[in-house]
Amino acid sequence: MSTALVPVLPYIFVLAFGLIVGSFLNVCIFRIPEGGIPFSEPRSHCPQCNAQIAWYDNIPVASYIVLTGKCRACKASISIRYPLVELASGMFALACAVNFGFTWAALVYYLLIATLLVITFIDLDHMIIPNIITLPGIPIGIAASFLLPELSLAQSLIGVAVGGGGLFAVSELFYLLRKKEGMGMGDVKLLGMLGAFFGVKGVLFTIMAGAFVGTFVGLILIPLNRSKGLDLRIPFGPFLASGAIVYIFWGEFLIYKYLEYARGGF
Ligand SMILES: [Zn+2]
């Protein structure tokens, strides 16, 4: 074997691992809102014709391309979202390995991103962030502080309090002022979970980055929908998830740049 190939091999395994996990994430997105357990059914079925999907038609991304996006049995079209989730999962696994090396931090952050992908699509589909994901996520994040060199147990615990508690206060205040629920309790629990993984600094960064992306998207979507006379509800979960992913890869750099800028004066 050529020596140049050897360093690449672990990354190919990481990509394959991410693609396979992505396939499982699709099942989670589909099953968790129904109250089902993602592991309960051993084989996948076509949602249209209920035909069992053979293993060779269930290979992440590749099968979608081979089948040109159609079920082999009934030719019903398969949502492009399935291969996109698989691809995103694979690319994020690769990005974590490249960015953090073959470390516990890489694994922890990848699994967190995978969870955020599930939350994003469930929130887009159903406007909910399931407790079954975020509530166990809080103690898992606290436990992960033992694996993350830059996060102490104390920072993790304070992160939960600030992420969950701080936003809960904002959401209550919003309710008092507007008599309308602006941010759901699902978002509050998600921020509690992110606080556990990130600490205070990271969870505040996530809220700001999420609000920034959310405002930008809102400015585009709200006028479009108002003209159609629809009462638009934009789920906030996907924006918080985007903010969290930005923090994982670029947070330290952006905070450093911001502080450098702030110190230099305006
Ligand atoms: Zn079918």
Side-chain angles (χ1 to χ4, degrees):
M1 195 183 291
S2 100
T3 48
L5 193 64
V6 176
V8 177
L9 267 181
Y11 293 100
I12 293 171
F13 281 117
V14 165
L15 177 64
F17 171 72
L19 290 169
I20 293 164
V21 170
S23 202
F24 173 68
L25 299 182
N26 277 320
V27 180
C28 292
I29 293 164
F30 195 72
R31 288 271 167 78
I32 289 174
E34 294 178 339
I37 306 156
F39 306 95
S40 62
E41 224 165 303
R43 300 294 287 269
S44 312
H45 294 264
C46 165
Q48 288 301 318
C49 69
N50 218 29
Q52 208 170 69
I53 298 166
W55 67 267
Y56 51 82
D57 284 341
N58 214 359
I59 296 164
V61 185
S63 289
Y64 184 87
I65 296 167
V66 170
L67 294 168
T68 62
K70 292 186 191 75
C71 167
R72 189 183 288 276
C74 71
K75 305 291 171 204
S77 60
I78 305 163
S79 169
I80 182 87
R81 218 170 78 175
Y82 292 102
L84 287 181
V85 167
E86 288 159 357
L87 198 62
S89 172
M91 297 313 281
F92 279 125
L94 199 57
C96 284
V98 170
N99 203 64
F100 300 102
F102 290 84
T103 59
W104 283 113
L107 185 65
V108 167
Y109 287 132
Y110 168 63
L111 294 177
L112 177 60
I113 291 170
T115 306
L116 291 171
L117 283 174
V118 172
I119 287 174
T120 292
F121 287 103
I122 290 178
D123 203 10
L124 285 173
D125 287 349
H126 306 278
M127 300 287 294
I128 52 158
I129 299 177
N131 286 340
I132 199 162
I133 303 176
T134 50
L135 293 182
I138 293 172
I140 291 169
I142 294 168
S145 73
F146 294 101
L147 297 174
L148 299 172
E150 65 278 12
L151 184 71
S152 71
L153 177 61
Q155 281 171 322
S156 175
L157 291 171
I158 299 166
V160 175
V162 171
L167 204 79
F168 178 68
V170 170
S171 145
E172 286 295 292
L173 190 70
F174 190 88
Y175 184 77
L176 283 175
L177 294 174
R178 299 264 319 262
K179 297 281 172 220
K180 226 165 135 184
E181 212 165 308
M183 204 173 302
M185 285 305 293
D187 298 305
V188 173
K189 287 169 223 162
L190 171 58
L191 278 169
M193 176 183 113
L194 291 171
F197 281 91
F198 294 164
V200 176
K201 186 177 63 172
V203 82
L204 292 178
F205 181 98
T206 300
I207 294 170
M208 283 194 283
F212 184 79
V213 180
T215 306
F216 186 75
V217 174
L219 285 175
I220 298 167
L221 286 182
I222 289 169
L224 279 177
N225 280 269
R226 190 165 288 156
S227 63
K228 286 189 224 153
L230 293 173
D231 179 26
L232 182 64
R233 289 174 67 212
I234 302 176
F236 200 51
F239 301 124
L240 291 176
S242 317
I245 292 171
V246 171
Y247 178 73
I248 289 171
F249 293 109
W250 299 290
E252 289 299 327
F253 172 77
L254 290 172
I255 291 168
Y256 174 81
K257 279 286 163 197
Y258 172 77
L259 290 176
E260 197 181 51
Y261 176 73
R263 259 188 236 111
F266 290 95

